[in-house]
Amino acid sequence: MCKVQFYKMEALGNDFVLFDGRDFSQDQISNLIKKENLLHIADRRLGIGCDQIILLTCNPSSKTPHFIRFFNQDGSEAGACGNGSRAIILYLSLCGEKNLSFQTSEGLITGKISGETISVFLPPPSFDASKIPMKPHLKGKDVFSDIKIKTWQQSYACSIGNPHATLFFETPDIALNERKKLGKILEHHADFPERVNIGFASLVTPHHLKLYVWERGAGMTYACGTGACAASINAIFLEMAQSPVKVEMEGGTVCVEWDRKNASPILLSGTAHFCYQGIIKIPSFTRG
């Protein structure tokens, strides 16, 4: 066992355990991200507890010196995390970094801070079935048509670096037990070979929607940044909403901006906070 420093961050109640692995060897990184270690770290009773685990490492690219990987509660890896990205921008700023950007497996993410608002520019969304991924015959619209859901109006799917399907309802007051039941079923729907994040959304105005998110590999969370982006973009694509969109979730509110005509990057803005730092023992982790 070896003691490893971690940093606890949160954005709208979406909480993260961040490891700054810029001085870790490849063997140390490989050991840290073993599934059994990730499960222990994410366990809210036996470990630290979090929605996602974030690993910061060095990047050889000339565009940014930072590379980020995201891991879910169940140990699976995610290509993107909107609120986690905003937490990383805050962490880099607190470290005195001037370059507030980082590379992920899905592309380059840049950020900025203005007062208490932390924003990130995420790569443009994809509606290509092969990139979401989902079965090609669906073409994004009316996914889960084989599932009967009360007050469900329509749905749409897209990728924000990870797969999202948004279900639009007449009312935002969807009972928690109903969301949990549907989320568990729909995450594993056969039309999505790599599983899918589920958004339960309702429009208040064309610039304001309410959202609950069942996250792939994490379940119901207080907030989800890429889920907020997906819900806004899907609503804009269906001509139900207009940018900018205020997205209200249980943990708080974010603002999503996206120019559909120019297929621009997505701007996600909201608050994030550093909570505390600590030490956790990781089995078989030895310092170099």
Side-chain angles (χ1 to χ4, degrees), residues 2-6 17-42 48 53-57 69 71-72 75 280-287:
C2 184
K3 296 178 180 179
V4 185
Q5 189 163 29
F6 69 86
V17 172
L18 186 151
F19 291 95
D20 189 338
R22 286 178 286 184
D23 66 343
F24 291 179
S25 69
Q26 188 55 53
D27 285 345
Q28 290 167 341
I29 291 171
S30 297
N31 183 69
L32 178 66
I33 63 174
K34 286 180 179 177
K35 186 172 183 178
E36 59 266 31
N37 288 337
L38 295 173
L39 291 173
H40 175 66
I41 292 164
I48 304 166
I53 296 161
I54 300 171
L55 175 62
L56 166 63
T57 58
R69 295 175 71 179
F71 299 91
N72 296 315
I280 186 171
K281 291 181 179 179
I282 302 293
S284 304
F285 189 100
T286 55
R287 304 295 298 189

Side-chain angles (χ1 to χ4, degrees), residues 20-253:
D20 189 338
R22 286 178 286 184
D23 66 343
F24 291 179
S25 69
Q26 188 55 53
D27 285 345
Q28 290 167 341
I29 291 171
S30 297
N31 183 69
L32 178 66
I33 63 174
K34 286 180 179 177
K35 186 172 183 178
E36 59 266 31
N37 288 337
L38 295 173
L39 291 173
H40 175 66
I41 292 164
D43 192 304
R44 296 190 183 277
R45 291 179 175 83
L46 302 177
I48 304 166
C50 61
D51 292 326
Q52 277 89 25
I53 296 161
I54 300 171
L55 175 62
L56 166 63
T57 58
C58 294
N59 182 49
S61 167
S62 59
K63 291 183 179 179
T64 175
H66 315 118
F67 192 89
I68 293 291
R69 295 175 71 179
F70 301 101
F71 299 91
N72 296 315
Q73 275 183 355
D74 66 356
S76 60
E77 188 163 2
C81 179
N83 282 336
S85 294
R86 295 192 303 102
I88 293 159
I89 295 301
L90 174 60
Y91 176 77
L92 292 174
S93 175
L94 292 173
C95 289
E97 296 284 351
K98 301 299 182 184
N99 188 334
L100 298 182
S101 67
F102 56 89
Q103 187 74 32
T104 72
S105 61
E106 298 298 320
L108 180 70
I109 293 176
T110 60
K112 61 181 181 179
I113 299 178
S114 177
E116 294 187 356
T117 300
I118 300 167
S119 304
V120 288
F121 290 92
L122 303 174
S126 175
F127 299 95
D128 186 326
S130 66
K131 292 182 179 179
I132 291 175
M134 64 181 180
K135 291 186 177 178
H137 71 277
L138 294 172
K139 297 182 179 179
K141 192 174 182 180
D142 291 333
V143 292
F144 311 129
S145 57
D146 58 323
I147 306 291
K148 292 183 179 180
I149 306 171
K150 293 180 181 179
T151 71
W152 173 29
Q153 294 176 307
Q154 56 185 320
S155 60
Y156 214 84
C158 68
S159 173
I160 313 291
N162 52 8
H164 283 271
T166 309
L167 281 65
F168 293 95
F169 289 79
E170 296 173 2
T171 171
D173 300 320
I174 310 160
L176 177 60
N177 60 346
E178 185 71 8
R179 297 196 303 269
K180 285 184 176 180
K181 178 182 176 181
L182 285 172
K184 189 174 293 187
I185 293 170
L186 299 180
E187 176 190 348
H188 297 274
H189 196 280
D191 287 338
F192 293 87
E194 295 181 9
R195 299 183 294 163
V196 63
N197 299 284
I198 308 297
F200 302 95
S202 62
L203 257 71
V204 180
T205 73
H207 292 283
H208 179 194
L209 63 82
K210 291 188 176 182
L211 178 69
Y212 299 99
V213 179
W214 173 278
E215 291 197 52
R216 177 183 62 166
M220 295 302 306
T221 56
Y222 275 28
C224 176
T226 54
C229 292
S232 301
I233 287 164
N234 286 336
I236 292 169
F237 201 82
L238 292 168
E239 299 184 344
M240 300 166 63
Q242 300 171 3
S243 180
V245 180
K246 180 175 77 171
V247 183
E248 183 181 342
M249 296 172 282
E250 288 183 284
T253 300

